[in-house]
Amino acid sequence: MSFIDLHCDTASLIFENKAHLNRNDYHVDIEKMKASHYLAQWFAFFVDIKGLKNTDPFIYLKEMYAYFKAEVEANPDTICIVSTYKDYLKCKAENKIAAFLSLEEGEAIAGVNDPLEKLMELGITMMTLTWNHMNTWGYPHSILKGLTPKGCELLEGLNHTPILLDVSHLSESAFKDITRLYKKPIIASHCNARNYYDHTRNLSDEAMKVIAESGGIIGTNLYSYFLNTSNHTSIEDLLRNMQYVYNQVGEEALAIGADFDGMSCNLEVCNCGEMDKLMGSMTRIFPMRIIEKICYSNAERIIRENL
């Protein structure tokens, strides 16, 4: 089975620790992705605004991009950065992993002119407006407020770019603003179902249905904090959440957004090299046709139709 994962924090982690993409001690590296036959991985550039102190967040983002780009270029036979469906197909034909880029924490571009143009120059194809703090664009899942006027303006701009909107981390009120203003498929790159496990980072049934109706997808998150009350994520936890999402929105909207390297819990699927353990267990509840959609082809459709 092949895989496309909508979200990992590996790019941020290797940048912070000056580690390598080919092989490391984290959840994601090239060797592990090859072991699980990854077609593509969205690498999130996470910018912790609260932790930057006196560093300009956009400069920090560019430095992270440069480090990641150098790591990819050090492994030209196995991985390449892509931003279009054409690029993706070329990578796939050459048996290379396609590295798509995303921004996690929209405040990183709040202080620059033409922020969406700047992201396109970096080849970024997906972004969240917020992380876990209020910012220039809007409010996170823990606060019952929506988008700011500037956030609404940015959202209108996203309608006219190839950058996809990721609603992970957003508040319900902000999500409702999005349903009024955003015209493209909505992505929840690493979110679970709130009625399966009640956490503000998870999606309501109503939100999941809006995402599905938009033609978007929901990436199953492996973080135990969004699945149960323990510090351990079992395959059974993941299957029950997937089954719940599937029952609400059907087979076209369910995908993988593992959140690897963005969590500190214990995992039965210990890293991206063990994804076949999850796929094998999925056969207990889904036919292979649907498993293929969840593991890669729903995400591939988003790439084909929007990038």
Side-chain angles (χ1 to χ4, degrees):
M1 180 61 66
S2 298
F3 293 91
I4 297 177
D5 187 321
L6 300 174
H7 184 90
C8 75
D9 286 289
T10 311
S12 307
L13 203 57
I14 63 172
F15 173 63
E16 290 167 2
N17 296 290
K18 299 301 177 279
H20 295 295
L21 185 60
N22 183 53
R23 181 188 298 175
N24 57 54
D25 294 328
Y26 308 132
H27 293 143
V28 176
D29 61 30
I30 291 171
E31 291 191 359
K32 297 184 189 84
M33 287 189 288
K34 286 173 63 179
S36 287
H37 309 289
Y38 268 53
L39 295 173
Q41 171 71 62
W42 252 278
F43 289 89
F45 293 154
F46 169 57
V47 180
D48 183 0
I49 298 298
K50 298 289 186 180
L52 285 185
K53 297 180 180 179
N54 297 321
T55 304
D56 180 280
F58 187 66
I59 291 175
Y60 183 84
L61 171 63
K62 290 197 295 182
E63 290 173 349
M64 190 189 310
Y65 167 81
Y67 187 90
F68 184 78
K69 184 171 182 283
E71 285 295 308
V72 169
E73 290 175 348
N75 297 277
D77 296 330
T78 54
I79 191 168
C80 53
I81 293 174
V82 301
S83 60
T84 68
Y85 181 57
K86 182 179 179 180
D87 293 342
Y88 166 77
L89 288 180
K90 184 174 185 293
C91 250
K92 189 176 180 180
E94 295 174 354
N95 199 30
K96 297 179 185 179
I97 299 161
F100 287 94
L101 310 181
S102 63
L103 171 64
E104 186 172 33
E105 176 53 271
E107 189 68 10
I109 56 170
V112 299
N113 294 324
D114 300 318
L116 297 180
E117 289 289 336
K118 296 294 194 298
L119 290 187
M120 287 189 290
E121 288 171 6
L122 296 177
I124 288 174
T125 54
M126 183 159 58
M127 70 171 292
T128 66
L129 297 182
T130 69
W131 185 56
N132 290 338
H133 312 295
M134 63 171 289
N135 65 18
T136 299
W137 316 118
Y139 291 82
H141 59 96
S142 58
I143 302 175
L144 299 177
K145 292 185 179 181
L147 299 181
T148 65
K150 286 187 175 181
C152 293
E153 183 179 339
L154 187 75
L155 199 64
E156 291 280 12
L158 281 171
N159 284 323
H160 306 290
T161 72
I163 301 171
L164 296 164
L165 175 65
D166 180 0
V167 297
S168 304
H169 292 278
L170 270 181
S171 69
E172 281 196 29
S173 297
F175 186 88
K176 289 177 181 176
D177 291 335
I178 284 164
T179 62
R180 293 188 296 104
L181 299 168
Y182 190 64
K183 309 303 180 186
K184 298 190 296 185
I186 300 169
I187 311 300
S189 73
H190 55 304
C191 292
N192 295 331
R194 188 176 302 174
N195 277 355
Y196 169 70
Y197 183 73
D198 189 10
H199 191 287
T200 56
R201 261 287 277 113
N202 290 339
L203 298 166
S204 68
D205 289 356
E206 179 184 4
M208 291 194 297
K209 289 171 183 174
V210 168
I211 291 168
E213 289 168 2
S214 78
I217 50 177
I218 301 161
T220 298
N221 189 324
L222 273 63
Y223 196 8
S224 68
Y225 195 44
F226 307 138
L227 288 164
N228 59 51
T229 58
S230 78
N231 191 43
H232 176 74
T233 298
S234 70
I235 288 174
E236 288 301 319
D237 293 322
L238 299 172
L239 294 182
R240 285 193 290 265
N241 176 73
M242 286 181 177
Q243 182 75 71
Y244 186 88
V245 176
Y246 172 81
N247 289 344
Q248 296 302 308
V249 299
E251 63 191 62
E252 302 296 330
L254 190 51
I256 302 291
D259 205 7
F260 279 135
D261 290 323
M263 53 188 157
S264 56
C265 65
N266 298 315
L267 299 166
E268 187 172 354
V269 179
C270 294
N271 56 59
C272 74
E274 298 191 352
M275 290 298 282
D276 280 343
K277 288 166 59 176
L278 175 59
M279 186 279 295
S281 298
M282 288 166 65
T283 59
R284 302 204 308 266
I285 59 173
F286 296 121
M288 191 58 67
R289 176 183 63 82
I290 293 177
I291 293 172
E292 288 179 354
K293 289 188 174 186
I294 296 169
C295 290
Y296 72 91
S297 70
N298 283 342
E300 195 171 62
R301 169 180 57 81
I302 292 292
I303 297 167
R304 181 177 65 251
E305 295 178 355
N306 297 278
L307 300 177

